[in-house]
Amino acid sequence: MSFKLECVKCKSTFPFDIKLNTCPHHNKHYGYLQIIYDSKKYKPLPVKNTFVDENTFGDKSIIVNKNTFVDLGQVITPIIKINNFSKKYGLKNIYVKDEGKNPTGSFKDRENFIFFNYLLEHNIKESIYIISSGNAAISTTAYAKLAGLKCSCYLPTKTSSSKKEAIKFHLGEVLEEDVSYETIYNNLVINPPSGINATPGVCPLKEEGDKMIAYEIIEQIGLPDKVFVPCGNGTLLWSIFKGFKEIKDAGRIIKLPQMIGVQIEGGDPLKHALNKGEDYVILEDAPDSLAEGIIATESYSSPKTMIAIKSSEGTIISVSEQEIIKAHQEITDLEEILPEITSSVVYAALKKVSINNEELVICINTGCK
């Protein structure tokens, strides 16, 4: 199996290079590259463990050659029907894909399983750095520790203390700056430190882990009509869409689910980009929010997320702080789900979208408390 990088905008292709973060023909701060494969063959996934070898994934995914170098015990995450919450709002077929069941408590483990096993498979032992508001750094440091690689984490000072402590627990280096995530990110694009950039949004390799959510959904419950995804950079939404598109291209499904991204009111650059028909939009400011994982003035996977939204006839929904808090309280009171508050934006968004009771709807719970 061979693969390469392709620009989603101009369709330029490049040999795969772990240090090639985006297409040189476009704004280097934004992710334009995706991984594409020479093979079109699709193999059904066994509903046992999606993290085994290349025969499990099929010829359309990157995975190490039967050798797993680092493993925190990844399993298929559960899909849970939420009856009580649904009944309260007159809904019917609403399910949650609970990514909080991953080893470090978020979907970021999918990314890092692929990323670090690839590095070790190819004997790449450089240091790693990541710009993160929390979960991505926690997961990346956990896998880096197992891999024996140094990981430096660039964080806004306002990142919660519990997340900083988790990073330190995994021996990650915490480098704080009293500025926004976007300022840190943009400064490091211009003046990058040594090592490999493992930041989601400009690391196409990590998307190959996240897209497996789509493969698992198809195996577990079938083709959904709508998929609600919390969005900061928009990487997760794009990656899940990429998985569904690969399955459709292989002839396994006949249509794509509507991809519905959810952002915070005032911190919703994806919604502005969609409304303006642009690859990306930069907002002047964003409000503080308890949903710290998706606060954004810029969304660095925006060019790819726009393609996912338009191709699936989806949309971007913005929710207020009050709506998030209310939805978070309701979901924890009514269901046996303990999402981090960032994930609760999807439950707030359910109330703002027209849903037919015959439709199958999946909400992505990105992480746990």
Side-chain angles (χ1 to χ4, degrees):
M1 176 182 62
S2 60
F3 51 90
K4 55 191 173 184
L5 293 168
E6 179 188 70
C7 176
V8 298
K9 187 77 172 179
C10 67
K11 302 303 180 182
S12 298
T13 59
F14 310 90
F16 181 78
D17 182 344
I18 194 68
K19 291 189 175 181
L20 183 58
N21 301 126
T22 194
C23 180
H25 306 307
H26 303 288
N27 189 324
K28 64 181 180 180
H29 293 251
Y30 291 85
Y32 281 88
L33 292 178
Q34 67 168 328
I35 287 173
I36 60 171
Y37 300 86
D38 290 340
S39 172
K40 296 295 183 184
K41 189 175 182 181
Y42 171 84
K43 298 177 184 176
L45 303 176
V47 184
K48 180 176 69 172
N49 187 337
T50 55
F51 297 98
V52 182
D53 59 41
E54 68 179 63
N55 291 323
T56 304
F57 281 77
D59 291 339
K60 290 278 289 175
S61 298
I62 289 178
I63 192 63
V64 292
N65 297 325
K66 298 187 179 181
N67 297 315
T68 299
F69 296 90
V70 288
D71 187 347
L72 288 177
Q74 298 77 204
V75 295
I76 289 179
T77 57
I79 288 183
I80 304 162
K81 189 173 186 181
I82 50 172
N83 291 310
N84 297 329
F85 183 92
S86 300
K87 185 177 180 181
K88 181 174 181 178
Y89 291 98
L91 302 172
K92 186 178 179 182
N93 297 312
I94 312 298
Y95 293 79
V96 174
K97 180 70 166 161
D98 191 1
E99 293 298 296
K101 297 299 191 293
N102 280 292
T104 72
S106 83
F107 72 95
K108 300 296 185 180
D109 292 338
R110 294 178 179 275
E111 302 174 350
N112 287 308
F113 179 85
I114 299 295
F115 181 78
F116 282 99
N117 278 300
Y118 179 87
L119 294 184
L120 296 179
E121 176 79 8
H122 293 83
N123 201 33
I124 300 170
K125 297 181 179 179
E126 293 183 57
S127 61
I128 307 299
Y129 70 93
I130 184 170
I131 305 102
S132 171
S133 58
N135 284 343
I138 293 169
S139 176
T140 303
T141 53
Y143 282 85
K145 180 181 176 182
L146 283 181
L149 300 176
K150 179 185 176 183
C151 183
S152 299
C153 305
Y154 295 84
L155 312 173
T157 300
K158 63 183 179 182
T159 300
S160 64
S161 58
S162 61
K163 289 183 177 180
K164 293 175 188 175
E165 289 305 312
I167 293 166
K168 293 175 183 177
F169 174 80
H170 297 305
L171 305 184
E173 180 184 19
V174 173
L175 300 167
E176 299 180 51
E177 292 188 49
D178 194 16
V179 293
S180 68
Y181 169 91
E182 289 85 354
T183 299
I184 297 171
Y185 176 97
N186 289 324
N187 287 343
L188 291 181
V189 169
I190 296 169
N191 296 299
S194 61
I196 297 170
N197 189 347
T199 305
V202 287
C203 184
L205 184 59
K206 285 195 166 185
E207 296 167 2
E208 299 305 288
D210 291 340
K211 79 178 184 185
M212 294 313 299
I213 292 173
Y215 282 70
E216 289 180 14
I217 288 171
I218 292 295
E219 292 295 321
Q220 289 172 301
I221 201 168
L223 176 64
D225 294 287
K226 290 180 170 66
V227 181
F228 286 73
V229 187
C231 290
N233 279 332
T235 310
L236 181 59
L237 186 148
W238 156 258
S239 301
I240 295 172
F241 166 81
K242 186 175 190 285
F244 282 122
K245 187 175 186 303
E246 287 179 354
I247 298 168
K248 180 178 180 293
D249 289 347
R252 181 76 183 275
I253 57 178
I254 62 173
K255 67 172 186 175
L256 296 168
Q258 280 187 296
M259 301 301 300
I260 299 175
V262 190
Q263 292 198 295
I264 299 165
E265 284 184 1
D268 47 3
L270 291 171
K271 183 174 182 178
H272 286 264
L274 183 64
N275 290 343
K276 292 184 177 182
E278 302 287 348
D279 283 354
Y280 58 86
V281 164
I282 302 173
L283 304 180
E284 290 186 6
D285 198 9
D288 287 332
S289 174
L290 291 171
E292 64 177 355
I294 58 170
I295 298 171
T297 57
E298 298 183 65
S299 294
Y300 297 108
S301 287
S302 184
K304 291 185 280 194
T305 306
M306 292 301 102
I307 291 171
I309 293 294
K310 293 172 184 177
S311 299
S312 68
E313 299 182 353
T315 192
I316 302 291
I317 300 295
S318 299
V319 294
S320 69
E321 190 76 355
Q322 292 72 30
E323 289 170 330
I324 297 168
I325 294 169
K326 181 180 179 183
H328 183 72
Q329 189 63 57
E330 289 175 328
I331 200 70
T332 53
D333 285 349
L334 296 171
E335 306 290 347
E336 288 301 311
I337 297 171
L338 293 173
E340 63 175 355
I341 198 161
T342 293
S343 292
S344 292
V345 298
V346 294
Y347 310 115
L350 279 173
K351 309 170 192 179
K352 306 179 81 168
V353 174
S354 177
I355 299 173
N356 184 309
N357 267 342
E358 299 307 311
E359 290 184 313
L360 176 60
V361 178
I362 303 290
C363 295
I364 306 298
N365 190 62
T366 51
C368 63
K369 280 186 177 179

